Amino acid sequence: MPWNHRSLWALAWPIMIEMFLQFMIGIADTLMVSCISDHAVAVVGISNQFFMSAIVLFMLITGGAGIVIAQKLGARQEQEARTAAVMTVQLTFIIGTLVSLLLYTGAGRIAAWLQIPGELQPLAVTYITVVGSGTMLTSLMLALSTIIRNTGNTKGPMVISLGMNTFHVCLNYLFIFGALGFPEWGLYGVGLSTVISRGIAVILLLVLLRRSFAIPIGWRDVRLFSIPILKDILRIGWPVSLNGASWTFSQISIFAIIASMGALQLATRTYMNTLESFCFLCGMSLSMAAQIRIAQQYGAGQLGEVYRGAWEALRSGLFVVILNTILLVILCSPILHFFTTNQDVIALSSAVLLMNLLLQPAKMFSNAFISSLSAIGDTRFIAVVGISSMWAVSVGLTFVLGVELGWGLYGVYTAMIADELVRSTCYIVRWRSKRRLWDLDRSVKSVHFSLDRRM
């Protein structure tokens, strides 16, 4: 059965498992790093936010490529999809190599720019240097996983992610605690483990990519290149990249504001980031699956299925997101005790977590329609709304409520909820307007068909 006719859950469950594995590795990292110190946890949290800013550079290519590949496959233009896949790997490799060099040589300046407290800067420089030098591998993982998923194979990346995460945890144990005769490398070991496990994953993904099309990809395909396809990728990809960059830098700005509030607030927000990932894991997986299916359906001209797909993703996503959030609120205190013994961090985290009962459903609304609008190539609208709201509402209100009015993390979360509500309202209105255009298009085609038959 063509995968654009498969159920949303059939496409989503491997993505859910893969994202759950990524979530678990985040927990494992946090638990292991917390054995070093709470300072190390704070360094990993704010540094990883910065690494997201590097990843958005690759979204310029991968964000558009995934959608173009799915649309081309939906239109049964496999050679064009194949060309887009090869070009994506080549471009991300080149950009990733350049970014790796920049991060490796500029770790100290980056740590200072992030306003990391002075006592944390030596740890931050170590972590940024090691993990930043492996950005090329991160970029290739992102590109290869995106390509393979958009061919309809969501299981392959899941299996590779399982192996990578298991290996990463084992290396963490060896490198952090000095097991089996290895040196006790601490936070340096966490970074080294990350780079090695990603390198192995890239090799496996390359093997899987070769088999993802009817004609296997070989060395001769390095020559594949198409200006029109590149234009399509960039037309869709640059707003995705710009929106992603805006989100990442807005989060860095928010982290910097939180850092100015003190180490307690920064450590709490870092732990909350990990816990909140669980709340939204299934919802994000459903949104990603919906984007893959809707993009191919749009390429095949199945506009009715396209419109209904967004609402299906929203309904399913809201159910699991609300359920996960309620479970996390109930189990919050015992879970937090696995991460830290700092009672101030636990008390503040437990209180702030209640605000996720509003934040997570609001995020599901916005993400369901971001994925759907992206699938049909309407990424420019997403970027305009997203950038405006992120900075005016999320960052602006964070400073006003969190710092000026002294609400602290309560002000930060109030600002994030307001941002999600503003953006989701705009995206829903936009999606509903698309149906009117598609209904008009079908009516015009129906009239032309009737006239042709009469003639």
Side-chain angles (χ1 to χ4, degrees):
M1 181 172 59
W3 59 267
N4 61 311
H5 294 300
R6 289 162 57 188
S7 72
L8 182 64
W9 285 96
L11 281 172
W13 75 260
I15 301 176
M16 287 182 190
I17 293 177
E18 182 180 354
M19 293 188 71
F20 178 74
L21 292 170
Q22 292 173 356
F23 167 72
M24 291 305 295
I25 202 63
I27 289 180
D29 271 349
T30 305
L31 282 171
M32 290 180 170
V33 172
S34 67
C35 293
I36 302 171
S37 69
D38 280 344
H39 284 177
V41 173
V43 164
V44 171
I46 196 167
S47 298
N48 285 342
Q49 284 291 326
F50 173 77
F51 290 136
M52 287 296 296
S53 68
I55 290 175
V56 297
L57 292 174
F58 312 118
M59 291 172 61
L60 174 65
I61 306 299
T62 60
I67 294 168
V68 168
I69 289 169
Q71 289 180 350
K72 295 295 184 184
L73 290 174
R76 299 187 179 183
Q77 298 173 351
E78 180 162 320
Q79 183 56 37
E80 287 83 353
R82 207 158 160 273
T83 300
V86 173
M87 291 169 56
T88 300
V89 174
Q90 293 172 336
L91 291 171
T92 51
F93 174 77
I94 293 170
I95 298 172
T97 302
L98 294 175
V99 174
S100 293
L101 291 172
L102 289 173
L103 294 181
Y104 179 78
T105 58
R109 292 187 294 273
I110 292 169
W113 175 68
L114 291 174
Q115 298 185 32
I116 294 175
E119 67 270 22
L120 305 184
Q121 290 217 8
L123 283 174
V125 170
T126 297
Y127 188 74
I128 293 171
T129 299
V130 177
V131 178
S133 64
T135 303
M136 177 188 67
L137 299 173
T138 307
S139 68
L140 286 174
M141 275 186 59
L142 174 64
L144 293 167
S145 297
T146 299
I147 293 167
I148 293 166
R149 283 196 205 97
N150 279 277
T151 65
N153 180 6
T154 55
K155 294 181 183 178
M158 174 201 70
V159 173
I160 292 174
S161 180
L162 171 61
M164 180 191 73
N165 290 333
T166 302
F167 188 62
H168 177 52
V169 170
C170 293
L171 287 181
N172 270 359
Y173 179 73
L174 296 176
F175 294 165
I176 293 175
F177 305 109
L180 301 179
F182 281 86
E184 292 187 24
W185 281 329
L187 196 58
Y188 171 79
V190 175
L192 188 62
S193 168
T194 300
V195 173
I196 293 174
S197 58
R198 287 176 180 173
I200 294 174
V202 165
I203 294 173
L204 296 175
L205 286 168
L206 284 169
V207 173
L208 188 58
L209 174 66
R210 172 176 165 77
R211 305 172 183 173
S212 295
F213 295 90
I215 301 175
I217 294 176
W219 286 108
R220 65 185 182 280
D221 294 314
V222 172
R223 298 171 294 178
L224 288 177
F225 194 83
S226 169
I227 295 296
I229 292 176
L230 180 61
K231 287 181 178 178
D232 283 342
I233 290 174
L234 295 178
R235 175 181 56 82
I236 296 173
W238 77 258
V240 173
S241 178
L242 192 62
N243 190 59
S246 176
W247 182 86
T248 302
F249 284 113
S250 71
Q251 292 302 302
I252 291 174
S253 299
I254 290 171
F255 256 86
I257 294 171
I258 295 172
S260 70
M261 299 176 187
L264 170 63
Q265 286 76 10
L266 181 58
T268 299
R269 178 59 187 145
T270 301
Y271 286 123
M272 290 299 297
N273 253 0
T274 302
L275 296 180
E276 289 165 10
S277 298
F278 170 78
C279 292
F280 198 67
L281 186 148
C282 292
M284 179 61 76
S285 303
L286 285 163
S287 295
M288 292 172 66
Q291 178 173 312
I292 294 170
R293 190 173 67 162
I294 289 171
Q296 193 186 23
Q297 290 171 336
Y298 186 73
Q302 301 168 354
L303 300 182
E305 289 82 353
V306 166
Y307 183 77
R308 289 190 293 271
W311 298 104
E312 180 186 354
L314 176 62
R315 287 192 300 270
S316 300
L318 279 176
F319 173 76
V320 294
V321 163
I322 292 172
L323 178 62
N324 287 349
T325 306
I326 292 173
L327 287 174
L328 191 58
V329 168
I330 294 172
L331 301 174
C332 174
S333 182
I335 291 174
L336 283 170
H337 277 89
F338 279 105
F339 294 98
T340 180
T341 57
N342 188 322
Q343 293 303 314
D344 291 332
V345 170
I346 293 172
L348 183 56
S349 298
S350 300
V352 170
L353 186 58
L354 290 172
M355 301 184 73
N356 276 274
L357 292 170
L358 290 176
L359 176 61
Q360 299 305 324
K363 286 177 68 175
M364 187 63 232
F365 269 93
S366 61
N367 274 274
F369 289 97
I370 285 173
S371 297
S372 302
L373 288 167
S374 297
I376 65 173
D378 194 9
T379 53
R380 189 174 300 182
F381 179 81
I382 295 172
V384 170
V385 172
I387 293 170
S388 301
S389 181
M390 288 171 202
W391 291 97
V393 180
S394 189
V395 177
L397 279 182
T398 290
F399 180 77
V400 172
L401 300 179
V403 178
E404 294 295 314
L405 296 183
W407 291 10
L409 283 185
Y410 299 104
V412 175
Y413 275 80
T414 300
M416 289 194 293
I417 292 169
D419 169 49
E420 296 291 350
L421 291 175
V422 168
R423 287 191 290 130
S424 60
T425 299
C426 294
Y427 297 145
I428 290 172
V429 171
R430 180 73 165 186
W431 188 251
R432 289 176 65 86
S433 72
K434 292 292 180 184
R435 180 173 189 174
R436 290 194 291 271
L437 292 174
W438 292 338
D439 287 344
L440 178 61
D441 180 64
R442 283 197 295 270
S443 298
V444 171
K445 288 180 179 178
S446 177
V447 170
H448 286 171
F449 177 74
S450 299
L451 290 175
D452 290 341
R453 292 194 62 182
R454 291 176 182 176
M455 294 175 65

